[in-house]
Structures are given as structure tokens and as C-alpha cells.
Amino acid sequence: MKQTFRQSMSWLHTWGGLWFTWILFAIFLTGTLGVFDDPISHWMREKGKAGEVPAMSAEERARAVTLAQDYLVRQAPRAEFWSIGLPDEDEPALRVFWRETEASPFQKRTLDPASGSQLKPGSARESEGGHHFVHMHFELHAGTAGIWIVGAATMAMLVALLSGIVVHKKIFADFFTFRPGKGQRSWLDGHNVLAVLTLPFLFMITYTGLIVFWATYMPAGIAARYDGDEERYFSALTDGPPARPRQFIEAAVAPLAPLMLRGEAAIARETGFVVVEHPGDRSASVRIFGRFDAEAESDRLVGRSSGTALFDAISGEVIDVQKPNSVRGGTVLAVQQTMNALHFVRFGAYPLKWLYFLSGMAGAAMLAAGAILFMVKRRKNAGNEFGSATAGVYRVVEVLNVAAIGGLVLACIAYFWINRLLPLDVAERATREIELFFAVWLATLAHAAWRTPHRAWCEQLAASAFLCLALPLLNLLSTGDWLVAALARGDGETAGVELTALAFGLLFIAALRHLWRRAAAADARDETLPDATATATGG
Amino acid sequence: MEKHFALYLVFFTCYAGLLAISLTMDRHHAQVLRGKPERSRRLALRLAGWSLLGLALWLCSLAWGWAIGPVAWFGLLSAAAFGLVFLLPYAPRFAPWLSIIGPLLALPPFYF
């Protein structure tokens, strides 16, 4: 049978969409939560209670950097890099990061900025916070392999968007059409309307999402023109100083505090971060990063430099200084940065972040409606698409739908509970939180496989609704802080997280009521028309 | 223009524009106002609708500039369209009133 173009696009949209929809839902949901990674981290690390952190004087900063350097020299005299985060209004502790070789794991410790002693586990609520959602979003916590999987799914998303437009016969006539309470028709309307009304956003976010990792996905240019030396390529792209390859001559890093103070004088801004590349080697360099000024950046699409000063770490000689608020690099870099800024919504502050959050949630809902529509269609009118295996395949799709949609939602809100319930002195606490997040997600899969689809949906939705609605109460019981206190002191980040959770809780209750009513209506129908159902299943 | 005020103002400008455009369609005209729109009314609604969307874009440029403004415009357009799409089946009679009540409710916190 010869197919029309629209029929083949419909096939592509259905099957290409189905096999990627679960992973795309995860990417959309966690990415959308990631829009608010800072407020989520603020909530998880109980920053609202801490109050104002007094600003540090230049001497205090110099002392903190010296203490951090002493610590790093003891821990990793030779390393790929050291990074020192100075205390700021969000984080009163001194943070040190390092990696010994490119292959070894990333290390992080928090120190007391006055004494340099390592803060004891349990003295703060150690957590990845909202960053967990961001990592889940772009690499599924699976490193480079995850980036490639997300890339493949993103391509599938672009294909599904284009084929979806072709398949949608009445894109203009049905532009504003949603017909609730009509079963399959309503799911299709919902799927269509959610996609069509956010189409500009969906294209933008999907395309820029691919572009962010272009150097990973399309390495051929750098491999051919720069012999695969990414550092050399990026220093040319950004008009920066040439890369400094390792020389394999041992040399100690000069004291960082005087370099930091010289750097601050050169860029006329306080230091946020001090990064040392190749400490222990003659090629070592020190980069002073000026403190990021979010307020000044919110009016611009393309962010400007916060100011950096680069020194030879051994001789202390100045290599490069970039003043704050300056822009470097040519048009190519500007285009690239605009794409990144559009994806990360680095501009426009809260109003724009909320619009991204809304559009992202609409995208996630669109994917969920599509996946559910696939099964609603087949529950009513079971086909024979996979021969004798059809029933089995449908069952797998049902189970995956519940676990990938309902289950992930449950795991995301459970992550907030894990953060509050896991004891503070657990070793590697931040990692444990993420492991427990995955454990909850896995449990929802087992639950979905064990229960009938209707029961599984209802129970997981009910659990999510409960966890959302009781979140402020949990916070009150576990930390003594909560929504009302946060509102009273004008802490919009803490209050925002809990109010958003409440809103989602109400949404889940509404969805649950809808499911119950439909189930009751279906039962009533079955009782009055036993013959009709018998014929339907028989035929 | 103050950004939060712009958010409300542009949202309701987009909402009114989209409402006017939806009323040029028989289905939605029947839902909201009963009957089919006449040709002259259809043209007037179309003109009003697109003008309001254009006005919304211009307001966005005043609040955010021409780099960020269009991004905000697309976002608010989607948000307003969701409002309209869910009001049409559940509260069609209320849909036109929102375009009047909405801006009035938004004004007091900023000006009184």
C-alpha cells in the first residue's frame, strides 16, 4: 500500500515520539525545575534562616585564600586544577575544589574562612540542591554518555515537532480548541494545544539545547583544524591568551593572596573565584574572577565579563586582564553566547524565568499527554501492531508511562523530602540524596509493574499530591522554618519553592478527582451496558 | 516601564488580542457570543486582534528592549493563550469579561 506523505509523517511522529517520549519528559521536567536551581538550592541548604552574611574586607579575603592554598597544597600539590570559591551572600563557607588528573573525580570541601579547618559533616545541610535537576537535565548523571543520549533525544524532539506540524491537519482551525470530557478527543486536543501554543518556545529550547553542546556533537571541525586541541581552539575563539600546555617541570605556586589583591586592583572588582590551572607544574596559571553581578546582567541578552585577571602562577607575571562589562571575541562567539543565554535564561530575572518555567511545564505536559494518548487510543481500539506480542508491548508502554511520568514527578518532589529527612552527618550526603532520588524512581517502576494502570496512576498521583501539600509542614517540623516565616521576612526564594509545591499539589488533586470521576462513570456504564462491552472486547 | 507591571499589562493585551482573533472563528464566536460573526465584525475583530498583539510587542520592547522584549512577548503570548484556551470550554461567558476585569485588577497594586 502506497502511503501519503502525511501518513508516513504520522507513523514517524507516533513511533519516533513514543520511544523517546519518556526520556524527553525527564529532560523537560528536570530542565524546567532547573530554571529555579538557585531558589531550590537556597531552600535545600536552609539559606533563608542564615540571614545576612557580613561582607568580607580585603584582608579577610586574602587570609581566606591563603588558608585555602595551604589546604590544597597539603591535599593535592600536583593537580589538573584548583578552584577556590570565596564566601558570598549565599554561601558563608570557603569552598575548595580540585581534580588531580583529567580522569580522576572532582573533589569538593568546605572550609571555615577564618581558621581554614575543614567544616565537619553535619554542620551544614550538604546538598547538590537544584543543581541535581540541571545535571539530570543535560547528562542524566551519566557524564559524556548521558550528553549523547540527551542529544539523540533532542534530535528526536526536533523530528517530532516538525512531523507533528505536518500531521496536525487543522493547526489554524483548532488553534484555540480544547474539548474536555471527551476521552481520546480531549487528550489529542490537549496534546495539540499545548504544543501549538508554545511552539516558538519548543523550537527555541530544543534547538539551542543541541547548540550548547555543539563541540561535543560535531567535533570534526576542531579535530581537523586544531588537531583536536580544544583549548587552542577556544582561546582563538574568545580572543584570549594562548593555552599553556603542561611542561612537566616541577614548580611551586607563588602565594595566591598578593596575586588576588593585584588582580582585584586591575579589574576594580572583588574576587569571586580564584582558579589555578596545572598547580605544581611550570605551566601553572592563576585566574582571578570578579564577582558576578546578576543585577547588571539582567537587562542584556548576551552576558558580559565579570572581569578576570590571569597571572603566571610561578613568576607572578601578568598574562592577561579583561575588564568587567567588556565583550571579547567575534560574531561567531556572540551568536554562540546568545544561543546559550536563550537556553539558560540568564537574562530578564524572575519575570522571564517564570515564563520559561510555564512554557517548560507546558512542554512536559504536552509530552505526557502524547504518551497517554498513545495508550488511550489503543485501550479503546486494541490493534495487532506487534502480532501475538501486542498485549505485552502495550503493557510495557503502560508501565513505562506511569513510571516515567507519574513516577518521575513523585521522585522529584520526594527529593525535597529526602533533603529534609536524611540525617545531616551521613557521609557523602549530597550523593546519597541523589541515589535515594533514583531509588524512589525505581520503586515507582516496580509499583507501576505491580498495579493495574488506573490504580498505579491514582496512587502515584496521590503520593505526589501529599508530598507537595505537606512540604511546608515538613520544613517546619524538620528545620523550624516554613512558608509563613519566610513570607514574613520577605524571603521569596524559600516561600516561592513552597508555594509552587502547594500549587502542584492542588493540580495533582484535581487530576486525581478527574481520574476517580472517569473511573466511576466507566463502572456505571459497564453495569448498565454489559452486552456492549462484551461485544466490544469480543469483536 | 516597570517589569512586573509590564508583565500584567502585556499579558492582558495579548489575551485581548487572542480573544478577538478567536472570535473571528465560527466555533468560538458561537461559544462566547452565540451565532456566527458577520463579515464586517469578523474584519474588525481581526484588525483589533492583530493590532493588540502588535501593541503588546511594542510594550515588551519598552520594558525589556528589542533583544529580550520579543522573548518576553512570545512567553506572554503562550501564557495568555493558555488562559483563553481553558476559559473557552469551561467559562465561555466570562472570557470577554476577563479582558476588562484583568487589567483593572492589575492596576491597583502599582498605582494606588
Side-chain angles (χ1 to χ4, degrees):
Chain A
M1 189 176 72
K2 208 169 163 73
Q3 285 192 317
T4 65
F5 178 62
R6 182 169 273 158
Q7 278 169 329
S8 28
M9 284 298 114
S10 171
W11 178 88
L12 181 66
H13 187 80
T14 305
W15 297 104
L18 179 72
W19 301 125
F20 280 100
T21 191
W22 302 303
I23 195 165
L24 281 171
F25 180 81
I27 296 170
F28 262 81
L29 183 66
T30 55
T32 306
L33 292 170
V35 168
F36 290 126
D37 62 342
D38 284 341
I40 292 173
S41 301
H42 175 94
W43 187 90
M44 290 197 162
R45 293 178 189 146
E46 298 178 57
K47 295 298 178 205
K49 277 198 316 184
E52 291 280 301
V53 178
M56 288 179 103
S57 66
E59 292 90 73
E60 283 171 316
R61 282 199 299 281
R63 184 175 159 70
V65 163
T66 307
L67 291 168
Q69 182 176 13
D70 293 346
Y71 183 86
L72 285 163
V73 167
R74 282 199 305 275
Q75 296 292 323
R78 267 173 301 277
E80 178 68 21
F81 74 85
W82 297 341
S83 177
I84 302 165
L86 287 159
D88 57 29
E89 57 264 35
D90 289 330
E91 176 56 83
L94 176 66
R95 289 146 295 154
V96 292
F97 312 83
W98 72 92
R99 196 163 71 172
E100 287 193 19
T101 63
E102 248 174 82
S104 50
F106 192 74
Q107 302 284 342
K108 179 189 173 184
R109 300 283 186 279
T110 43
L111 309 178
D112 181 332
S115 71
S117 57
Q118 199 180 325
L119 292 176
K120 285 203 176 53
S123 59
R125 197 173 285 273
E126 198 199 319
S127 171
E128 275 295 305
H131 222 67
H132 155 61
F133 293 119
V134 176
H135 274 271
M136 184 76 195
H137 168 68
F138 76 82
E139 58 170 17
L140 311 169
H141 287 292
T144 314
I147 292 179
W148 278 96
I149 296 170
V150 170
T154 312
M155 277 307 291
M157 179 75 190
L158 280 176
V159 169
L161 280 175
L162 285 171
S163 57
I165 293 170
V166 175
V167 174
H168 193 358
K169 276 177 241 167
K170 296 190 283 185
I171 203 161
F172 292 112
D174 280 355
F175 202 88
F176 298 107
T177 304
F178 175 62
R179 287 158 285 194
K182 294 209 167 79
Q184 189 183 326
R185 173 88 257 166
S186 308
W187 285 108
L188 181 60
D189 276 350
H191 179 66
N192 286 343
V193 149
L194 286 166
V196 170
L197 297 182
T198 48
L199 205 55
F201 172 81
L202 291 175
F203 266 114
M204 179 278 288
I205 209 75
T206 311
Y207 180 71
T208 55
L210 267 183
I211 293 297
V212 167
F213 286 107
W214 65 273
T216 307
Y217 297 144
M218 296 189 293
I222 299 173
R225 185 72 179 70
Y226 293 86
D227 296 326
D229 185 350
E230 282 198 16
E231 260 179 67
R232 201 151 62 86
Y233 168 75
F234 279 108
S235 72
L237 180 71
T238 55
D239 284 345
R244 294 165 63 88
R246 230 174 238 287
Q247 295 180 16
F248 302 99
I249 303 168
E250 273 197 41
V253 174
L256 291 176
L259 288 179
M260 182 192 80
L261 294 175
R262 275 169 59 201
E264 290 192 352
I267 60 173
R269 203 181 262 210
E270 267 183 39
T271 308
F273 269 89
V274 177
V275 176
V276 184
E277 270 198 58
H278 301 166
D281 190 76
R282 179 63 195 87
S283 66
S285 56
V286 179
R287 197 184 279 275
I288 312 297
F289 286 90
R291 184 151 287 169
F292 179 67
D293 183 2
E295 204 96 319
E297 293 305 303
S298 71
D299 281 350
R300 303 174 56 88
L301 193 53
V302 180
R304 294 170 297 185
S305 164
S306 311
T308 68
L310 185 68
F311 299 96
D312 184 307
I314 315 301
S315 69
E317 186 190 336
V318 182
I319 303 171
D320 182 41
V321 172
Q322 184 177 6
K323 295 267 186 201
N325 299 338
S326 60
V327 178
R328 271 192 189 171
T331 319
V332 174
L333 188 65
V335 170
Q336 166 73 24
Q337 285 178 338
T338 308
M339 296 272 188
N340 286 359
L342 272 175
H343 192 87
F344 300 132
V345 60
R346 287 209 180 109
F347 50 87
Y350 276 117
L352 266 286
K353 281 191 202 281
W354 274 108
L355 291 175
Y356 268 61
F357 186 78
L358 195 74
S359 302
M361 281 299 168
M366 177 274 290
L367 290 163
I372 292 166
L373 173 65
F374 178 93
M375 271 330 293
V376 167
K377 221 167 173 172
R378 280 157 185 82
R379 249 182 250 153
K380 211 173 79 178
N381 209 346
N384 199 28
E385 290 160 304
F386 301 96
S388 58
T390 306
V393 174
Y394 285 175
R395 175 73 187 139
V396 169
V397 172
E398 285 271 22
V399 169
L400 286 175
N401 269 357
V402 177
I405 299 164
L408 181 64
V409 168
L410 181 55
C412 284
I413 182 65
Y415 178 64
F416 289 79
W417 281 67
I418 293 163
N419 172 268
R420 284 296 188 256
L421 295 180
L422 194 64
L424 290 182
D425 52 0
V426 169
E428 309 258 342
R429 190 176 184 282
T431 316
R432 291 292 99 76
E433 280 186 1
I434 294 170
E435 285 168 358
L436 283 168
F437 161 84
F438 280 108
V440 172
W441 199 8
L442 209 60
T444 66
L445 179 66
H447 174 258
W450 167 49
R451 304 293 268 172
T452 64
H454 178 73
R455 289 242 170 91
W457 275 114
C458 285
E459 287 161 4
Q460 295 197 8
L461 262 176
S464 297
F466 172 76
L467 294 187
C468 281
L469 292 174
L471 191 69
L473 207 60
L474 169 75
N475 194 13
L476 178 64
L477 294 177
S478 60
T479 70
D481 187 27
W482 72 313
L483 182 57
V484 175
L487 282 174
R489 66 169 181 263
D491 177 0
E493 293 187 301
T494 304
V497 166
E498 296 188 6
L499 284 172
T500 309
L502 289 179
F504 274 102
L506 293 176
L507 199 70
F508 298 148
I509 295 278
L512 209 53
R513 272 190 53 199
H514 174 80
L515 275 177
W516 280 330
R517 259 192 307 201
R518 286 202 68 81
D523 286 347
R525 231 183 5 252
D526 288 349
E527 273 165 36
T528 50
L529 292 166
D531 296 339
T533 16
T535 348
T537 40
Chain B
M1 204 178 350
E2 208 274 324
K3 304 279 192 317
H4 291 89
F5 180 61
L7 215 53
Y8 283 108
L9 192 62
V10 175
F11 176 87
F12 287 110
T13 312
C14 285
Y15 177 82
L18 291 167
L19 176 72
I21 292 172
S22 77
L23 289 178
T24 64
M25 299 169 166
D26 290 349
R27 180 190 290 149
H28 303 303
H29 195 276
Q31 268 176 316
V32 177
L33 301 169
R34 306 275 153 87
K36 278 188 183 182
E38 279 166 32
R39 201 182 128 73
S40 57
R41 177 183 274 187
R42 208 188 286 263
L43 282 174
L45 281 169
R46 189 164 291 153
L47 186 70
W50 285 104
S51 309
L52 283 165
L53 296 190
L55 175 68
L57 179 60
W58 180 69
L59 289 172
C60 277
S61 81
L62 288 186
W64 285 282
W66 282 109
I68 298 174
V71 183
W73 182 68
F74 273 122
L76 285 161
L77 210 51
S78 294
F82 285 130
L84 177 62
V85 160
F86 288 96
L87 273 185
L88 282 176
Y90 290 110
R93 292 279 164 184
F94 176 68
W97 286 107
L98 182 62
S99 62
I100 298 161
I101 297 168
L104 291 179
L105 281 181
L107 283 175
F110 292 97
Y111 285 101
F112 298 102

